Amino acid sequence: MNILPVNTAQSSWYQLSSSNRTIIGTKVLEFVQDRWIEIKLISHDDKQRVYEYTLLDQNMDGSALIHEWAADMEWFQSPVQIITDLEGKFIGINNFNSIANCWQQGFRSKIAKKYRQQDGIDVMLSETDKLLQDPKCFLQSFMGYSHYRCFFQPFYREWQANESSSLILKGFFGTIDLPLVIYSFTEQHGNTVTIINEAEVDEERFERPVLVRMLKDLTNTYNLKVDLQTEMEEIYKFENNILQEADLFLQLHVPSFYTVVTAHQCRRIEQHELPKERVDKHELSNSILHV
């Protein structure tokens, strides 16, 4: 069965909810983020496609400063023009220079003013400076288990009913990658194609001793037993070659010590279902950064 790309410049709108809970010992960090977005194909040729992803509105409910910062940074980098290969794999950022220039020409000073009394702001500014000086690192920041995975994968190809592939989540544990083996089950009914993914850790590629060392250093416990357990399920539903729904869930768990749970849910909506009072990106400094 095939999923074919739509090569006309038409917009699709989605409502997207993301949540994350990270537990390290007794410390819990969690957030829930709702977004309303627009995705539109803006160019294509015989080698690649360029999509414009625009954040139209969002609500962030987080337990830490970094969550508020992350929401502000999403406004900053919108719209982002994402380059994919012909199958839909995320391979580049088309408007990196304009995003980097925006940072230097006003956004940096505004966000620094907003967070000026917060501990850690100098580190966050410095790390963002580095990110926007290195296109490869900036691209890598999109490659984790983020909501972009709902849309930008090698979807547009011929699918077998059952197949397997590899996925490496770069820097999932800080500096440590998480390699996974993905098992895909695909079925078609009329114009509807459903893809279901499950996964397990790729033990041959996983640097388990490095993770064990990192967790022992975090706890100052050197007889710590690290039994990493993985659970993943993803469901994607396409109708007439257009994504209609996606439901992603990933949990990594070390019993009694460490848990990371990430989930993303999106559904395609009509333009009239967007929030009535959306943020104007030209009023960013007042309505978003509150400076």
Side-chain angles (χ1 to χ4, degrees), residues 14-18 33-35 147 150-151 264-266:
Y14 294 91
Q15 181 177 353
L16 175 64
S17 295
S18 299
Q33 185 174 12
D34 296 315
R35 303 176 184 87
H147 62 289
C150 294
F151 311 103
H264 305 288
Q265 292 181 313
C266 83

Side-chain angles (χ1 to χ4, degrees), residues 51-64:
Y51 295 87
E52 187 168 78
Y53 168 105
T54 303
L55 178 65
L56 300 176
D57 203 354
Q58 68 170 331
N59 294 318
M60 167 67 83
D61 183 9
S63 61

Side-chain angles (χ1 to χ4, degrees), residues 69 72-73 76-77 98-116 120-133 284-285 289 291:
W69 171 276
D72 283 339
M73 295 304 291
F76 155 65
Q77 66 192 24
S98 64
I99 293 173
N101 289 337
C102 178
W103 176 253
Q104 294 297 338
Q105 294 174 5
F107 196 95
R108 189 187 194 281
S109 61
K110 291 175 182 177
I111 204 168
K113 184 177 180 181
K114 175 183 177 180
Y115 292 99
R116 61 186 179 275
I121 178 58
D122 290 338
V123 173
M124 290 191 290
L125 289 170
S126 175
E127 290 302 311
T128 306
D129 287 337
K130 294 177 184 176
L131 198 64
L132 292 171
Q133 293 169 4
L284 182 65
S285 61
L289 295 180
V291 298

Side-chain angles (χ1 to χ4, degrees), residues 244-256:
Q244 302 296 316
E245 299 175 10
D247 192 342
L248 285 65
F249 175 86
L250 175 63
Q251 174 175 283
L252 284 301
H253 180 57
V254 176
S256 303

Side-chain angles (χ1 to χ4, degrees), residues 179-194:
L180 298 172
V181 179
I182 307 293
Y183 300 98
S184 299
F185 310 93
T186 308
E187 57 183 26
Q188 182 171 6
H189 299 285
N191 294 326
T192 300
V193 176
T194 301

Side-chain angles (χ1 to χ4, degrees), residues 11-28:
S11 292
S12 291
W13 295 273
Y14 294 91
Q15 181 177 353
L16 175 64
S17 295
S18 299
S19 62
N20 177 274
R21 171 175 287 188
T22 301
I23 303 172
I24 303 177
T26 59
K27 185 176 182 180
V28 179

